[in-house]
Amino acid sequence: MKIAAAALFAALAANQSTAFTPTRSSNVISTKLSSTMQPPERTAPDAGYVPDWEDRTGLAPEEFIASDMAKPDLSGMWECPLTRWDSENIDIAEAQKICSEQPHCPLEMTASAEDNAKGAAFFSENKEQIRADLLKYGAIWFRGFDLMKSVAGNREMHEALGLDPCLDPLHSSGLRKFASERDALYEEVNKPSLRQHYIGLHNESTAKRTAAYAAFVCFQRATEGGGRFLVADGAAILAELKPETLEKLYNRKIRISVSNLDIPPALPGVVKEGIKGLVDVAVAPKFDMDLEMIYESDGKPGRLQAVETAESPINRHPVTGLPVWFSNTHNHARKLRDRRPCGVPEVGMTEVFYADTMVPLDLEDCEEIKRASEKHITALSMEPGDVLLVDNYRALHGRDVFQGDRFHAVTWFTWDQNEAWRGDERRIVEKNAFNQAINQMMDWLPKDFESNQS
């Protein structure tokens, strides 16, 4: 079984590598909905608010990446906590009314000369107010702070706020790379091969695990333009959506497919079922997600998809009880990805289904989610030292396309004030070989490619 699993994983890797290979072939995908249609036009999404750049300078890479070796090693950080679901019996009309009364997200805090002179003391002195504002607004944009221009200073900031780092919800997949492991700092999606991939709005969440908070930091803005960091309030999106769309999605719930394995459709059924069982037993558990392996849900013959369990797109905030839009649909819906800049190969293309029928969301619902979500996006002009502190159950985030080189990073945090919600699992560093192997494989892939999906 171990040899077979290794062979299957090698096949998956080969499939992924092939999908990244530059191609000039047709961009028409084969699905029930579009097999006879021309590819839709790709348009970069809009944002409701686009702040100006201030052209602040940062440190050289060898300076900003340096860790403070006098600090303890955080590589044995907490496991990402389990998702806190409280989505039953939500009155949609009442939820929309409450959400419409919430303040604008994010709160912007610009450093004064006095603030910068205090360094980490600014955050320790204002800890209680900052933590309260995070719950109130959903996100705080710390702008113009010199302290967070380096890895070491960024860590001082979140330690002064009493935040407790944890693993990324998808850490076990091997797709999350550390910028500084001993500082619990992950690199954001800065890969050259994904410069022209627009990352839609999402909570850093799966149906199984969700980080409580996050601190996104900019060390180097994109050298040739673009790369704005996107944030939107889940409460504002919920208030904005048409009530009939919200009711429909809430009542039917959704399921999200997270990967595809295209198997020759002509293979005998017993062989296809054997492959499905092998993936389910040998590969899927490594991703620490509750997945079901399903054939041809999106209409593509021979396609095996890994699909998450049913979930509500609305959830109550674990601390405040506020109902919010808590869904990765804007990022994962295929009909939205196919209409904006997208550089993900087929093996990694996602889809969102109505949970009761396993039919992909229709275009009308996707367009309404797009409209409501993008109206409330703030496309941040993050520059060196800027940090966006995010309540991951309240605010959604994403990233625009960019040119040149860019270096942003993120630390995820668990529940530091509730041990029961945090759990008692810690990372076992000795079992990190799978993660490292996948990251090395991803680094070997071509750095620029033309995707071949519509």
Side-chain angles (χ1 to χ4, degrees):
M1 177 63 78
K2 288 184 178 179
I3 295 175
L8 177 58
F9 185 75
L12 280 166
N15 186 311
Q16 199 167 28
S17 181
T18 301
F20 272 83
T21 303
T23 177
R24 295 287 177 181
S25 60
S26 170
N27 281 337
V28 179
I29 58 173
S30 297
T31 71
K32 299 174 190 174
L33 296 172
S34 61
S35 59
T36 61
M37 298 171 59
Q38 291 297 312
E41 180 182 357
R42 293 186 182 274
T43 305
D46 295 323
Y49 175 46
V50 184
D52 292 333
W53 296 99
E54 295 182 347
D55 297 321
R56 285 177 271 113
T57 59
L59 304 176
E62 62 273 14
E63 294 179 278
F64 71 64
I65 202 63
S67 177
D68 182 353
M69 301 307 292
K71 293 270 191 178
D73 189 336
L74 298 180
S75 58
M77 69 199 82
W78 294 106
E79 176 60 88
C80 183
L82 298 176
T83 302
R84 308 292 307 175
W85 286 107
D86 182 10
S87 58
E88 298 298 319
N89 302 314
I90 294 176
D91 184 309
I92 298 299
E94 181 63 21
Q96 289 196 296
K97 179 179 183 298
I98 296 172
C99 286
S100 68
E101 299 167 352
Q102 302 307 305
H104 175 75
C105 169
L107 173 66
E108 185 175 336
M109 296 183 66
T110 301
S112 66
E114 181 182 359
D115 296 335
N116 270 326
K118 289 183 177 181
F122 169 84
F123 295 94
S124 57
E125 291 172 4
N126 294 283
K127 172 183 173 180
E128 299 306 321
Q129 186 61 54
I130 290 171
R131 295 291 296 261
D133 284 341
L134 182 59
L135 280 177
K136 179 179 180 180
Y137 293 92
I140 304 173
W141 180 15
F142 295 107
R143 198 172 188 187
F145 282 82
D146 293 335
L147 176 68
M148 291 90 80
K149 287 184 176 182
S150 68
V151 167
N154 182 66
R155 177 170 170 175
E156 285 188 63
M157 176 274 298
H158 67 68
E159 288 182 338
L161 292 175
L163 296 168
D164 207 349
C166 70
L167 293 174
D168 184 290
L170 292 178
H171 177 86
S172 64
S173 71
L175 300 175
R176 298 296 192 253
K177 184 177 182 179
F178 281 113
S180 178
E181 186 172 350
R182 71 181 314 278
D183 295 295
L185 187 67
Y186 286 89
E187 186 175 348
E188 274 190 50
V189 184
N190 303 311
K191 291 181 181 295
S193 58
L194 295 175
R195 290 181 182 119
Q196 294 303 301
H197 175 65
Y198 178 96
I199 301 175
L201 293 176
H202 61 287
N203 307 92
E204 203 66 22
S205 171
T206 69
K208 183 176 182 179
R209 294 191 184 274
T210 302
Y213 311 106
F216 297 91
V217 58
C218 172
F219 297 126
Q220 176 184 293
R221 60 177 282 195
T223 55
E224 297 176 28
R228 286 178 179 268
F229 191 84
L230 312 176
V231 64
D233 186 0
I237 295 171
L238 188 147
E240 180 70 31
L241 283 162
K242 293 178 180 178
E244 58 270 28
T245 303
L246 206 52
E247 288 274 8
K248 175 182 178 181
L249 294 172
Y250 177 64
N251 290 331
R252 299 182 67 177
K253 298 188 177 180
I254 62 169
R255 296 186 70 179
I256 298 174
S257 68
V258 297
S259 66
N260 309 307
L261 178 60
D262 289 330
I263 295 166
L267 284 179
V270 65
V271 175
K272 292 167 70 175
E273 287 303 308
I275 294 173
K276 173 182 173 181
L278 187 57
V279 173
D280 197 27
V281 171
V283 178
K286 295 183 183 295
F287 289 78
D288 195 21
M289 300 168 69
D290 293 325
L291 298 173
E292 181 184 3
M293 310 308 296
I294 303 176
Y295 273 112
E296 303 177 2
S297 293
D298 66 353
K300 173 102 185 262
R303 172 161 289 180
L304 180 61
Q305 294 181 290
V307 186
E308 287 195 86
T309 54
E311 59 191 68
S312 169
I314 307 174
N315 195 22
R316 293 183 182 90
H317 190 281
V319 178
T320 66
L322 179 71
V324 296
W325 178 254
F326 184 71
S327 176
N328 295 341
T329 301
H330 184 263
N331 186 46
H332 289 327
R334 181 79 190 232
K335 291 181 181 68
L336 296 183
R337 282 193 163 191
D338 285 349
R339 287 164 171 79
R340 65 188 182 217
C342 181
V344 173
E346 279 297 321
V347 71
M349 285 296 286
T350 54
E351 182 58 289
V352 183
F353 303 87
Y354 300 108
D356 55 353
T357 60
M358 282 305 294
V359 171
L361 265 60
D362 60 42
L363 183 58
E364 183 179 1
D365 287 344
C366 287
E367 288 181 336
E368 173 59 10
I369 291 168
K370 170 183 167 63
R371 181 198 67 80
S373 299
E374 293 170 15
K375 178 178 178 179
H376 293 283
I377 288 176
T378 296
L380 301 178
S381 49
M382 290 182 70
E383 300 185 78
D386 286 5
V387 164
L388 183 72
L389 190 62
V390 171
D391 180 332
N392 194 41
Y393 277 85
R394 169 74 180 272
L396 300 87
H397 63 275
R399 191 219 66 201
D400 202 354
V401 298
F402 68 96
Q403 296 80 40
D405 296 319
R406 175 185 186 270
F407 202 109
H408 286 223
V410 59
T411 297
W412 306 106
F413 304 102
T414 188
W415 301 105
D416 56 279
Q417 298 174 345
N418 191 320
E419 292 184 4
W421 291 2
R422 182 198 67 200
D424 57 7
E425 296 178 87
R426 281 193 178 271
R427 179 189 181 210
I428 303 175
V429 180
E430 291 77 11
K431 293 186 177 181
N432 197 41
F434 180 76
N435 184 291
Q436 292 175 338
I438 294 296
N439 272 306
Q440 289 173 1
M441 183 192 77
M442 294 296 286
D443 287 340
W444 291 337
L445 296 175
K447 297 304 182 185
D448 287 288
F449 60 91
E450 180 181 320
S451 66
N452 64 350
Q453 76 278 351
S454 71

